[in-house]
Amino acid sequence: MITATQRISADEALESLTHSDLYTLGERANHIRLEKNDPHIVTYVVDRNINYTNICSAHCKFCAFSRTPRDEDAYVLDEAELLRKVEELVQVGGTQVLLQGGLHPKLPLDFYCAMLHGIKQRFPVDLHAFSGPEIIHLTRVTKLSIAEVLSTLQDAGLDSIPGGGAEILVDRVRNQTSVGRSKCTAAEWLAVHEAAHTLGMRTTATMMFGHIETLAERVEHMRQLRDLQDRTSGFTAFIPWTFQASFTEMEGVPESGAVDYLKTLALSRLFLDNFQNIQASFITQGKQIGQIALFFGANDMGGTMMEENVVAATGIHNCSNELEVRRLVEDAGFTPRKRDTQYHLLD
């Protein structure tokens, strides 16, 4: 049995993902999860994913959410609407605001700083905001370095950075799924997170899989995350989820099912030995698979997602609330514990 102290190689990880059966991988992953985390507790955060704009200069074939400035349903949230959304979150006990948006071609850095500052002035929330592609976009708009952009945002109230925009950290895949140079490269995504860790900000890491990548490329994605975590210890969690094809330009790509999701989730627990937390993704997989994921290496249910728009644009609607997430955890046989963005227990 592989234990939490044993490191497996990329070749061993690929062999496991290719040839191990679902239950063998799940058993190994669950054993390590129970070694690394409290075996009785599953954590969650009460949050809201606010997309401040859907206008985006990137052309990602897997995205059903983005719009051009000419589209009738293109928008940029005004301050009143933004603050109303945060206030609704706080009123139900929420602590985390996840701010993400498209790569808007005309919004200046001051706009982003004003959003952060305006929220922080009024509400006691963690601002978990702006994915790697958004940060790289701002470096191009401002001609500032990654560290300079991050430091400016941090001074305005940014607490941590989400792992969005990672998709698969292999440029062969990224070049085929996103048109043009507006989306960041794998190296740029990693550079954003390393710079954030250097500034003392924690971040999360994600992987959107189950489209045109090979199994070897999934492992390579995880290898690069593990290597960066070895250097910085700055990642709080890893969150894998599967590609949702509906209403995208990749609608003909067969979607991964629950078995592929659970095997990949289990492998992440085995391979990412320097990550404390692995999140279940009930937003894409559904709530029952989210429960099963708790026996395949996951120790966290992620956010309650009072609001979510990007996955919802593909027709998947699995947003929840705190009471339901607690019930899902309890029905799976665990004790639910509310946390903040940094994984400090709150209740």
Side-chain angles (χ1 to χ4, degrees), residues 193-194 197-198 227-235:
H193 287 261
E194 184 158 16
H197 299 168
T198 300
D227 287 351
L228 178 53
Q229 184 75 331
D230 277 344
R231 295 197 300 273
T232 67
S233 299
F235 289 117

Side-chain angles (χ1 to χ4, degrees), residues 100-126:
Q100 292 185 121
L103 310 184
H104 196 293
K106 294 185 178 180
L107 293 178
L109 182 57
D110 286 348
F111 171 86
Y112 299 84
C113 292
M115 275 199 300
L116 297 170
H117 184 67
I119 294 171
K120 277 290 190 181
Q121 273 192 317
R122 295 167 175 83
F123 303 106
V125 292
D126 295 323

Side-chain angles (χ1 to χ4, degrees), residues 237-238 240 265 268-269 272 275-280 297-300:
F238 177 65
L265 176 78
S268 72
R269 177 56 87 183
L272 297 175
F275 278 68
Q276 185 71 29
N277 303 294
I278 305 290
Q279 282 188 24
N299 65 293
D300 184 81

Side-chain angles (χ1 to χ4, degrees), residues 280-297:
S281 178
F282 71 85
I283 294 295
T284 56
Q285 300 306 310
K287 292 160 187 174
Q288 285 69 44
I289 298 300
Q291 288 176 303
I292 294 172
L294 301 178
F295 299 92
F296 281 76

Side-chain angles (χ1 to χ4, degrees), residues 329-343:
V329 172
E330 289 170 347
D331 286 352
F334 299 95
T335 300
R337 292 294 301 273
K338 185 176 179 179
R339 63 167 176 86
D340 65 11
T341 306
Q342 305 301 327
Y343 281 80

